[in-house]
């Protein structure tokens, strides 16, 4: 192989940092679940996919396509748009949408918006322009596990994890001072390690927790960033995915754009940046549309110079401009979405309670954390994998259910001097500091599929408690144990017994409650 020219150290480091020792590759070789063709197949809940509104989005797109010449989709279109272009029009309607729903302290202007091909590309773009290689970005954990890739893979930044594990509620106003204290400790630790902290990145609403930060907490975080001259960057891609949770009074979504300037505490809008997109709330991940809203003219200009690498396609630009321009259609969509999202959460959470699978209450996003910590004791890592990875592997092969787990192995630095195989393989970033936590995406499938996944989990966990662990190749529970009849285990009385208000609407079981096909 001596004749092959060498690749870059930074590229090789990404290759070496295979996530979770290839578990995902192993799992995705399993046949996928299909209610008729493959009823015992893998139910993959590892992606934060919104299936609840696919029918509505498809109808909107079909209607739009009736009057759209597909030939237009073959043109380049503008990168991010000179004045008068389609992209400039999209920036205008995005600004209007944000002004109606994000309650910004100052109205967002068209020229404060940049359109990119998705929020992942946007985080990479902003990270490159906010920070230099090796500088630190503070991230409260639990949080979105792929931030490590967005910040490290190309921009070469240092992710500084700030654990909130011993804080009762990292999102509530009552605990905001504790969160800030943790951040202060992290800044001090960065100084000792020679890391220059440059920014803080929030996921709000939080993936995977399904919670939103209170207004008071956001203000406290902005003041903290002001004291330390940090940029405050917020990924708000689930901004409209909030609903009334039946579990408890949880804070609803507030945007960092709602934070007013406060010179006495060095809080200035130019240092606060918001990101949004079409993928989650609007069930349109394939459109690849992300939006940066910033009042920093300098950040806008530096990002604009690199928009050639985040070029958006013509058809998504035209369709989403058309859709967001219809205020009534958007309002009707969001009202139906929130209704379906609540029903999905209520049904899934009721089933988890029935099977005594612990989870954290939520009211935002399309997921929540389930805590399987007590079942880790059945694994001891003889194959070199962590107990959490072994539990994940067991659930995938024995129960045919795959979820994103809290543990993610990857590198943290991408500076050349740190690019060695040992660093790439051994460094670890967890979106959850508590072992045994998994993200359960209740909106990733129809009511029967989600109910079936919970039943399978219950049976597989029960097998652990009853005796030997399933082998990797052992068959999952038989089709007879996973029948429609056994899925309808929760009736109206059992839901009411758990304190859930069930209004007369014609459905009798939790799986009917989960249904996302009704238009009422």
């Amino acid at each position: 192989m001596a004749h092959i020219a060498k690749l870059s150290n930074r590229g090789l480091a990404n290759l070496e940092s295979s996530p979770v020792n290839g578990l995902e590759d192993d799992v995705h070789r399993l046949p996928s679940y299909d209610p008729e063709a493959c009823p015992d197949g893998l139910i993959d809940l590892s992606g934060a996919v919104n299936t609840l509104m696919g029918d509505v989005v498809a109808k909107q797109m079909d209607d739009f396509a009736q009057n759209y010449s597909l030939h237009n989709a073959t043109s380049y279109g503008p990168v991010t748009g000179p004045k008068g272009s389609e992209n400039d029009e999209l920036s205008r309607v995005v600004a209007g949408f944000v002004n109606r729903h994000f309650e910004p302290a100052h109205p967002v202007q068209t020229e404060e918006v940049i359109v990119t091909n998705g929020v992942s590309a946007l985080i990479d773009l902003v990270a490159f322009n906010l920070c230099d290689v090796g500088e630190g970005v503070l991230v409260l954990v639990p949080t979105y596990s792929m931030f490590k890739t967005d910040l490290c893979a190309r921009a070469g930044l240092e992710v500084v994890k700030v654990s909130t594990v011993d804080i009762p509620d990292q999102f509530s106003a009552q605990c905001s001072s504790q969160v800030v204290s943790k951040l202060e400790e992290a800044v001090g630790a960065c100084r000792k390690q020679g890391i220059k902290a440059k920014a803080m990145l929030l996921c709000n609403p939080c993936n995977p927790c399904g919670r939103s930060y209170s207004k008071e907490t956001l203000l406290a975080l902005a003041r903290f960033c002001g004291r330390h001259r940090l940029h405050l960057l917020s990924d708000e891609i689930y901004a409209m995915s909030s609903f009334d949770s039946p579990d408890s009074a949880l804070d609803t979504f507030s945007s960092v754009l709602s934070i007013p300037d406060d010179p006495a505490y060095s809080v200035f809008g130019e240092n606060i940046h918001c990101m949004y997109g079409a993928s989650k709330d609007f069930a349109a991940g394939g459109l690849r549309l992300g939006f940066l809203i910033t009042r920093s003219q300098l950040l806008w200009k530096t990002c604009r110079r690199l928009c050639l690498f985040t070029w958006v396609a013509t058809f998504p630009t035209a369709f989403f401009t058309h859709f967001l321009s219809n205020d009534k259609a958007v309002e009707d969509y969001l009202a139906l979405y929130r209704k379906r999202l609540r029903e999905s959460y209520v049904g899934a959470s009721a089933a988890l309670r029935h099977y005594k699978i612990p989870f954290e209450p939520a009211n935002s996003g399309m997921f929540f954390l389930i805590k399987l910590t007590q079942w880790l004791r059945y694994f001891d890592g003889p194959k070199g994998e962590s107990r959490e990875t072994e539990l994940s592997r067991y659930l995938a092969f024995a129960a045919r259910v795959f979820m994103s787990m809290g543990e993610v192995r990857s590198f943290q630095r991408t500076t050349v001097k740190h690019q060695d195989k040992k660093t790439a393989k051994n460094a670890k970033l967890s979106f959850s500091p508590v072992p045994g936590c998994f993200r359960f995406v209740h909106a990733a499938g129809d009511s029967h599929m989600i109910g079936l996944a919970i039943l399978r989990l219950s049976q597989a966990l029960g097998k652990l408690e009853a005796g030997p662990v399933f082998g990797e190749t052992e068959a999952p529970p038989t089709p007879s144990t996973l029948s429609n009849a056994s899925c309808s285990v929760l009736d109206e009385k059992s839901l009411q017994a758990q304190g859930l208000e069930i209004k007369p609407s014609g459905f009798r079981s939790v799986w009917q409650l989960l249904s996302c096909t009704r238009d009422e």
Side-chain angles (χ1 to χ4, degrees):
M1 303 289 288
H3 64 283
I4 298 179
K6 190 178 182 299
L7 301 184
S8 71
N9 288 328
R10 59 190 177 189
L12 292 172
N14 287 335
L15 184 63
E16 289 292 339
S17 60
S18 178
V20 201
N21 297 329
L23 173 59
E24 290 187 5
D25 290 339
D26 294 340
V27 169
H28 288 146
R29 292 189 183 98
L30 294 171
S32 298
Y33 167 78
D34 183 277
E36 295 182 2
C38 190
D40 290 339
L42 178 74
I43 296 178
D44 189 354
L45 303 181
S46 62
V49 180
N50 176 5
T51 67
L52 302 181
M53 297 298 289
D55 58 334
V56 179
V57 174
K59 177 66 165 57
Q60 289 285 343
M61 194 168 290
D62 287 343
D63 290 346
F64 173 74
Q66 295 297 319
N67 299 308
Y68 180 79
S69 173
L70 287 178
H71 177 71
N72 293 333
T74 63
S75 65
Y76 271 114
V79 178
T80 187
K83 190 171 182 179
S85 72
E86 284 186 348
N87 273 18
D88 187 66
E89 182 67 9
L90 179 55
S91 295
R92 183 187 67 78
V93 296
V94 167
F97 176 82
V98 170
N99 286 332
R100 290 193 302 276
H101 294 282
F102 287 56
E103 299 182 358
H106 303 286
V108 173
Q109 305 300 317
T110 301
E111 57 270 20
E112 295 171 340
V113 179
I114 282 186
V115 182
T116 66
N117 57 355
V119 174
S120 292
L122 179 53
I123 295 175
D124 172 68
L125 176 67
V126 172
F128 183 90
N129 287 295
L130 288 184
C131 308
D132 288 311
V133 172
E135 291 185 331
V137 177
L138 304 177
V139 178
L140 294 171
V141 293
T143 195
Y144 175 50
S145 63
M146 291 304 292
F147 277 162
K148 65 179 177 61
T149 301
D150 299 340
L151 296 171
C152 300
R154 294 203 294 184
L157 308 188
E158 179 81 14
V159 173
V160 181
K161 296 184 298 177
V162 183
S163 175
T164 60
V165 66
D166 56 353
I167 298 176
D169 187 348
Q170 73 183 78
F171 305 99
S172 71
Q174 290 77 9
C175 298
S176 61
S177 61
Q178 298 178 55
V179 173
V180 171
S181 294
K182 292 288 185 181
L183 290 166
E184 294 285 0
E185 292 175 7
V187 169
C190 284
R191 292 195 188 101
K192 291 180 181 178
Q193 297 171 28
I195 300 171
K196 181 180 179 181
K198 194 71 171 289
M200 178 178 180
L201 174 58
L202 278 183
C203 187
N204 181 42
C206 178
N207 174 3
C209 297
R211 293 285 305 281
S212 296
Y213 287 93
S214 67
K215 290 183 178 180
E216 294 81 359
T217 300
L218 291 178
L219 179 57
L221 296 178
R223 290 177 173 178
F224 160 78
C225 289
R227 283 196 300 276
H228 295 282
R229 299 294 190 269
L230 303 177
H231 291 275
L232 176 57
L233 182 63
S234 185
D235 177 355
E236 301 185 352
I237 198 167
Y238 298 99
M240 299 294 101
S241 297
S242 294
F243 55 92
D244 289 331
S245 173
D247 291 318
S248 57
L250 305 178
D251 290 288
T252 56
F253 169 73
S254 294
S255 172
V256 294
L257 296 174
S258 67
I259 300 172
D261 284 0
D262 191 352
Y265 290 93
S266 299
V267 175
F268 300 101
E270 289 84 354
N271 298 325
I272 299 174
H273 321 288
C274 173
M275 297 177 295
Y276 187 61
S279 299
K280 306 303 182 180
D281 292 342
F282 292 99
L287 293 183
R288 309 311 306 143
L289 289 173
F291 314 112
L292 171 66
I293 301 100
T294 180
R295 296 189 174 96
S296 169
Q297 293 185 15
L298 191 57
L299 177 61
W300 193 97
K301 289 177 180 178
T302 56
C303 288
R304 175 64 180 85
R305 288 295 180 97
L306 296 180
C307 273
L308 179 66
F309 305 112
T310 60
W311 206 320
V312 296
T314 306
F315 176 79
T317 298
F319 166 70
F320 209 60
T321 300
H322 169 81
F323 178 60
L324 280 191
S325 298
N326 188 333
D327 292 349
K328 184 179 185 307
V330 172
E331 295 305 316
D332 290 346
Y333 174 95
L334 292 176
L336 179 59
Y337 173 45
R338 286 167 176 153
K339 177 181 180 296
R340 291 180 175 182
L341 191 61
R342 184 182 188 278
E343 290 179 348
S344 177
Y345 172 80
V346 169
S349 60
L352 289 168
R353 285 194 185 92
H354 176 81
Y355 289 116
K356 297 180 173 56
I357 299 176
F359 70 96
E360 289 293 321
N363 70 337
S364 302
M366 52 200 65
F367 35 66
F368 46 76
L369 279 179
I370 63 173
K371 293 190 171 182
L372 306 184
T373 308
Q374 68 192 72
W375 287 278
L376 292 177
R377 67 182 184 270
Y378 297 103
F379 302 91
D380 56 11
K383 301 174 184 176
E385 294 181 333
S386 69
R387 292 189 300 165
E388 186 168 300
T389 302
E390 284 200 329
L391 175 57
S392 180
R393 185 181 294 275
Y394 164 74
L395 293 175
F397 283 88
R400 298 295 199 268
V401 178
F402 188 52
M403 301 171 289
S404 292
M405 58 182 177
E407 177 183 285
V408 179
R409 294 189 182 278
S410 184
F411 59 88
Q412 287 184 295
R413 289 180 186 262
T414 52
T415 49
V416 172
K417 64 181 180 180
H418 290 282
Q419 294 298 351
D420 59 82
K421 292 185 178 181
K422 184 177 180 181
T423 298
K425 287 183 178 179
N426 295 337
K428 176 176 152 184
L429 174 69
S430 299
F431 76 57
S432 172
V434 178
C437 287
F438 293 79
R439 183 184 68 184
F440 189 91
V441 185
H442 59 85
D446 63 26
S447 59
H448 176 73
M449 191 185 88
I450 297 302
L452 187 58
I454 295 172
L455 179 59
R456 288 183 181 185
L457 288 175
S458 174
Q459 292 182 332
L461 295 173
K463 285 281 189 179
L464 287 177
E465 296 170 346
V469 176
F470 275 131
E472 286 187 8
T473 59
E474 184 171 342
T478 62
S480 61
T481 63
L482 303 177
S483 65
N484 289 344
S486 64
C487 286
S488 299
V489 294
L490 294 182
D491 57 18
E492 185 174 322
K493 290 183 179 179
S494 64
L495 291 172
Q496 290 173 336
Q498 296 176 58
L500 299 177
E501 180 184 0
I502 306 300
K503 297 180 180 179
S505 57
F507 52 81
R508 299 290 299 175
S509 74
V510 67
W511 314 124
Q512 290 170 303
L513 176 63
L514 267 165
S515 175
C516 62
T517 59
R518 294 184 303 279
D519 292 324
E520 55 189 332

